[in-house]
Amino acid sequence: MICKSTLQHRKLYTISQAVLVFCCIFFSATSYAQLRLQSISKPTHQTVSVSKKSGRIKTDVPLTLPFWDDFSSYSLDSLGKPTANKKLWQNSESVFINNSMAIDPPSIYVATFDGMDSIFVPYNSAQVLLNGISDRMTSLPIDLTTVSVAGMDSVYLSFFYQWQGKGEAPDRNDYLLLEFFDSLEWVEIQSFYPGDTPDRNKFIFYSQQVDTTSSKIYRKSNFQFRLTRYGRKSGPFDTWNIDYVYLNKLRVANDPSFPDRAFINEITPLFGPYRAMPISHFKKNNLIDSLAFTYKNLSGVQEGSRIASFASDFVFHKYYSNNTSNSNSIFFIELDSTLNPFLSPYQTVSHKFDTLSNFADMTKSVSQTYFDSLAEKIIIDVKYSLLTKDNEDTVAFNKKFPFDRQVNDTLTAHFTLADYYAYDDSTAEYSTELATIGDMAALQFDIGTVTDTLIGADIYFPDLGISKNQSTTILVWDDADGLPGNLLFKRTISVPQSALSEFTRVDFLNTVVSHKFYVGWQEKSNTDAVKVGFDKSNDSGDKIFINTLLAWTQNTLLHGSLMIRPVFGYDPTVTGIIENTPIVTSLYPNPNEGTFLIKGTYDRLEIINITGQRIPFSEESAGDQSKKISLQAAPGLYLVQLQYKNKRETKKIIVK
């Protein structure tokens, strides 16, 4: 339980501390002019209001033990964003389910409490230093009457938590609060502070007995627990990550051991630091890296023969200029020779998969089957599986841990060979902005020995759809000893307006680049800075450079990837700046039920979901330069990607 002094300590926030926080924010943002993180804005929203006594709904059928969630299975909201599994949690849409904000979690995907509401909007952006209750995750009611009175002594709730991770550090008086519901009211059980542990890189295990020894009785048919974040309400600050929540009987205190082997992070990029690169550059450099991933033994005892091998499945989707396509796949089984042959207690193993990189260097006929030199675009879908024996334990073990311990044994990713470079995975967790008018940000790209023509850049502006008259200057530089050098191209644009956030093509004059070059922007306003998307899944922060007072410095504060993608090609007709002209004149209805019309001209059409998976569809003529598109897809947000010659365009649709 929480004593009175602890509660007073938690609520204490003096004027001097507030002034100190304000000064830190002001001087770090303006004096040093580093690129700063901001929230992801949406066109419209209804702010979620959270009360400390709210959050319960009635249900006729409560859950039964065990309750387990490592967030590798999740629900999707109306915009296709991953949210807490609705079969386990209620009113928890503001908590961000992701695989990018944590550092070395117990298993893939975590629940992140970050001060943003259910559609990534701050709870109160007007008052920068306002603290209060914000994100909350509440379990559905759980029936504990099935446990005997004596058996309640063995009922424990446990989870792992991490402060900051890849987000922003909570202040010392910020906290995460655990509460239990006893049929009448919420009872405060424990508060967690960043000062409890000095290491933001570690996940801390916590367990709490759910017993009848206190003044509260929790052996009820509608028991619930919830976790709540207290911190700044003005943006994505004061971050906490939660993973591997488990409530069950037959447990003991402080036992973090689970008979589970799980992936803990995403697959590394396939093309060196890039998730996508121009196919012509790949053909010249044959740049394929060893894919790497990390998995962990969550058991506290030495395990033998748990990881027999890995299965990897690669599917190559090839597209050609004559509007034809084909696919090939290849399947590998690979042993992990690093195990010797046991897994140590809580051992973390990093594994490199070299077979594909060796495969790309094989005989021309074999490599050509998968990396066809005639293809205009190749999408490589990758799936890795841990071939574990996690569900083959004894009856007693499975009784103690009766949940599917293989759901976190699969990783998927996709990589693209087309006409552009990309560090990012298409999903922005944050936006970035420059602090002062005149400041510049630049993103470095290294194309090796290739010399090619840069025709534009795709840039993710998260403020699309906001009614603003913003402008910015897009710039291209060559390299000067590892820093941006001579200016090669400059264009001032109006930040375009759109219904939903998407990449925007900024066309350039034909600009020849080689070796290293930089693409970035210059801030033109002191009051309404332009924002550029920032992806946390792949750390290319060392490729970001900031210019203030005419001096370039390498970024050291932000870890992630600016969502800027240089595009290559050549257009001999270009004699000046090309204006963006849409490929599609209309796409309707939107939202729809899986069937919609596209009016316009395009050579290629793809539909993908929010995780990057390609969605099958059928296409038929509807007259008047229109085509009817039909897809079988669950409700959510989907990207419609179109290409016409060298032009690319992305639309978003919502399937109801």
Side-chain angles (χ1 to χ4, degrees), residues 329-543:
S329 62
I330 187 167
F331 182 79
F332 297 105
I333 295 289
E334 183 179 10
L335 299 176
D336 189 348
S337 59
T338 65
L339 299 183
N340 297 321
F342 298 103
L343 280 171
S344 300
Y346 307 119
Q347 180 181 359
T348 298
V349 180
S350 295
H351 181 79
K352 277 194 172 183
F353 182 82
D354 296 317
T355 307
L356 187 63
S357 56
N358 295 335
F359 172 76
D361 293 328
M362 289 181 183
T363 62
K364 182 177 180 180
S365 60
V366 175
S367 180
Q368 178 74 4
T369 303
Y370 300 93
F371 298 96
D372 188 347
S373 61
L374 298 178
E376 192 175 61
K377 180 179 181 180
I378 302 175
I379 295 178
I380 306 171
D381 292 328
V382 181
K383 182 172 74 172
Y384 273 102
S385 300
L386 285 175
L387 302 183
T388 70
K389 299 179 181 179
D390 286 345
N391 288 347
E392 297 180 14
D393 289 301
T394 64
V395 173
F397 234 55
N398 285 327
K399 187 175 181 180
K400 185 178 180 181
F401 301 100
F403 53 86
D404 185 358
R405 297 185 295 281
Q406 292 183 315
V407 298
N408 46 33
D409 293 349
T410 301
L411 284 176
T412 59
H414 77 281
F415 306 102
T416 302
L417 294 170
D419 59 356
Y420 64 93
Y421 282 95
Y423 294 111
D424 66 88
D425 68 353
S426 301
T427 301
E429 284 78 29
Y430 290 91
S431 65
T432 57
E433 66 179 24
L434 289 162
T436 308
I437 188 171
D439 288 351
M440 293 181 285
L443 183 59
Q444 181 191 86
F445 296 89
D446 189 341
I447 61 176
T449 60
V450 174
T451 298
D452 202 354
T453 303
L454 188 65
I455 63 170
D458 291 336
I459 303 177
Y460 194 98
F461 293 111
D463 270 353
L464 290 177
I466 307 299
S467 297
K468 299 177 180 179
N469 294 316
Q470 291 179 302
S471 65
T472 189
T473 301
I474 306 300
L475 308 111
V476 180
W477 302 265
D478 66 9
D479 181 72
D481 296 325
L483 294 173
N486 297 314
L487 186 64
L488 301 178
F489 180 78
K490 178 179 180 180
R491 178 186 175 189
T492 298
I493 66 167
S494 296
V495 177
Q497 304 298 304
S498 180
L500 289 168
S501 298
E502 58 189 37
F503 279 95
T504 296
R505 172 66 57 87
V506 179
D507 293 313
F508 298 164
L509 289 170
N510 290 325
T511 304
V512 177
V513 295
S514 61
H515 189 40
K516 292 180 181 178
F517 68 95
Y518 303 77
V519 180
W521 77 99
Q522 184 174 36
E523 182 52 53
K524 297 177 66 64
S525 172
N526 270 325
T527 59
D528 192 15
V530 168
K531 295 178 174 60
V532 172
F534 196 73
D535 167 35
K536 281 284 189 175
S537 66
N538 182 30
D539 187 4
S540 59
D542 61 336
K543 311 298 186 197

Side-chain angles (χ1 to χ4, degrees), residues 197-331:
T197 172
D199 194 347
R200 73 178 182 93
N201 298 297
K202 302 294 184 183
F203 269 83
I204 307 302
F205 178 77
Y206 171 81
S207 67
Q208 173 66 49
Q209 187 181 33
V210 182
D211 59 20
T212 57
T213 60
S214 66
S215 59
K216 300 295 182 181
I217 306 299
Y218 297 113
R219 186 177 175 271
K220 302 290 181 65
S221 62
N222 61 343
F223 169 78
Q224 289 179 271
F225 65 92
R226 70 183 183 187
L227 289 160
T228 304
R229 169 196 175 275
Y230 177 91
R232 286 174 60 189
K233 305 180 72 172
S234 56
F237 312 110
D238 309 333
T239 304
W240 299 83
N241 295 313
I242 298 294
D243 198 12
Y244 222 89
V245 180
Y246 187 42
L247 173 68
N248 201 15
K249 57 186 178 180
L250 303 177
R251 303 186 67 193
V252 296
N254 301 316
D255 182 10
S257 179
F258 297 90
D260 194 2
R261 270 50 56 180
F263 283 119
I264 68 173
N265 60 10
E266 294 183 330
I267 302 170
T268 56
L270 180 59
F271 311 116
Y274 305 112
R275 295 185 183 276
M277 70 180 298
I279 192 168
S280 59
H281 296 194
F282 172 78
K283 291 172 183 176
K284 292 180 180 179
N285 293 330
N286 200 19
L287 179 61
I288 261 197
D289 204 356
S290 298
L291 292 176
F293 52 81
T294 306
Y295 64 92
K296 185 173 184 177
N297 177 25
L298 277 69
S299 174
V301 299
Q302 180 172 276
E303 298 282 5
S305 302
R306 284 293 180 180
I307 308 295
S309 56
F310 306 101
S312 52
D313 192 8
F314 295 82
V315 181
F316 298 79
H317 306 281
K318 290 163 289 182
Y319 303 89
Y320 300 88
S321 58
N322 61 359
N323 207 28
T324 62
S325 63
N326 64 64
S327 297
N328 299 93
S329 62
I330 187 167
F331 182 79

Side-chain angles (χ1 to χ4, degrees), residues 22-36:
F22 175 79
C23 290
C24 291
I25 295 171
F26 180 81
F27 288 112
S28 64
T30 56
S31 297
Y32 297 105
Q34 288 283 358
L35 200 63
R36 57 192 181 192

